[in-house]
Amino acid sequence: GILKLRFSVMFTGREKIVKPHGVSPTEFEELVAQELFNLEVSASDIKIHLKDLYIVSAQQVEVSGSSKAIIIFVPFRLLQKFHRIQAKLVRELEKKFSGRHVVIVAQRTILNKACRRAKKISGPRPRSRTLTHVHEAMLDDLVYPTQIVGKRTRVKLDGKKVLRVILDPKDRGNVEAKTATFSEVYRKLTNKDVVFKFASY
């Protein structure tokens, strides 16, 4: 009882994560939410923007070797607001989580074809809710603020498809070290293989 009480006093970041009714955040999600709250209190240049922002979930994934990356899911309607402070926010969180790469992805809803029939939705599915579009938008989220300047799909000898995503080379210095993380996170979230390259103009 005392331990739980002490933890609830320590955990002041509860409003930085919003879960569906009846669902509790994981310990890791509470940790991320707490760090967001700490930044809201201490990071003067982003605190005013962080005040109205919250996340919906967070998870750690294994990347190459022993390193881990952190995926933070945010409400789609708040994505633009996160983008305003993303570079600084990601930098601060990566410091807090001892160099683990942090990526921010919007929570989007995929409507499958059967859903329209089941729910009697008239007209076509909104394109923004199709699996293809959601996966494409996820790529943009992963590499933000770097621009994607091209995409090509290559079919390997075993029939497996690999997407090649071409990035704007002006950001190479900032993101080259993260491209393996982007690939691994995208594979974990979509079960699709992607390789990131930089355009050579």
Side-chain angles (χ1 to χ4, degrees):
I2 293 170
L3 188 68
K4 199 163 176 95
L5 179 69
R6 190 181 304 149
F7 185 71
S8 61
V9 172
M10 278 165 46
F11 180 48
T12 43
R14 189 65 187 87
E15 76 260 28
K16 302 313 287 178
I17 182 160
V18 175
K19 304 293 280 181
H21 184 65
V23 179
S24 298
T26 64
E27 266 182 53
F28 182 69
E29 287 174 333
E30 289 186 344
L31 188 61
V32 172
Q34 184 63 50
E35 290 300 355
L36 285 170
F37 178 80
N38 295 347
L39 284 173
E40 188 185 311
V41 174
S42 63
S44 53
D45 46 349
I46 57 172
K47 70 197 290 182
I48 190 151
H49 298 288
L50 264 177
K51 196 162 66 70
D52 301 321
L53 299 182
Y54 59 87
I55 66 172
V56 289
S57 71
Q59 64 185 80
Q60 280 197 103
V61 295
E62 299 277 343
V63 193
S64 55
S66 57
S67 58
K68 288 186 167 76
I70 296 167
I71 314 170
I72 296 176
F73 292 93
V74 305
F76 175 71
R77 63 185 184 79
L78 294 181
L79 183 65
Q80 295 301 321
K81 290 183 175 176
F82 270 98
H83 279 174
R84 280 181 212 155
I85 56 167
Q86 183 155 328
K88 171 80 176 167
L89 179 61
V90 164
R91 214 165 37 244
E92 290 296 330
L93 286 171
E94 287 180 344
K95 270 191 248 168
K96 303 267 187 191
F97 288 102
S98 43
R100 274 169 274 181
H101 290 160
V102 172
V103 295
I104 293 175
V105 176
Q107 186 88 315
R108 294 179 175 85
T109 310
I110 296 168
L111 293 179
N112 62 25
K113 289 171 184 155
C115 169
R116 191 165 84 239
R117 289 192 292 275
K119 298 204 172 152
K120 309 276 191 294
I121 298 171
S122 59
R125 281 176 300 164
R127 183 173 136 60
S128 64
R129 298 291 184 85
T130 63
L131 182 75
T132 305
H133 181 83
V134 169
H135 286 181
E136 279 177 8
M138 206 179 276
L139 283 171
D140 290 322
D141 290 357
L142 280 176
V143 302
Y144 185 86
T146 301
Q147 292 286 310
I148 293 174
V149 295
K151 289 182 191 142
R152 295 188 188 86
T153 302
R154 201 161 53 87
V155 182
K156 289 159 77 172
L157 289 173
D158 60 4
K160 201 166 184 181
K161 288 181 180 174
V162 179
L163 179 63
R164 284 169 69 93
V165 173
I166 317 299
L167 301 176
D168 189 333
K170 77 178 168 57
D171 291 331
R172 187 176 201 135
N174 296 328
V175 294
E176 190 158 33
K178 290 189 168 187
T179 53
T181 296
F182 296 158
S183 297
E184 197 51 45
V185 167
Y186 189 72
R187 196 165 63 80
K188 287 270 195 310
L189 296 178
T190 66
N191 221 13
K192 291 178 178 173
D193 289 328
V194 63
V195 176
F196 293 91
K197 299 285 181 193
F198 293 90
S200 46
Y201 298 137

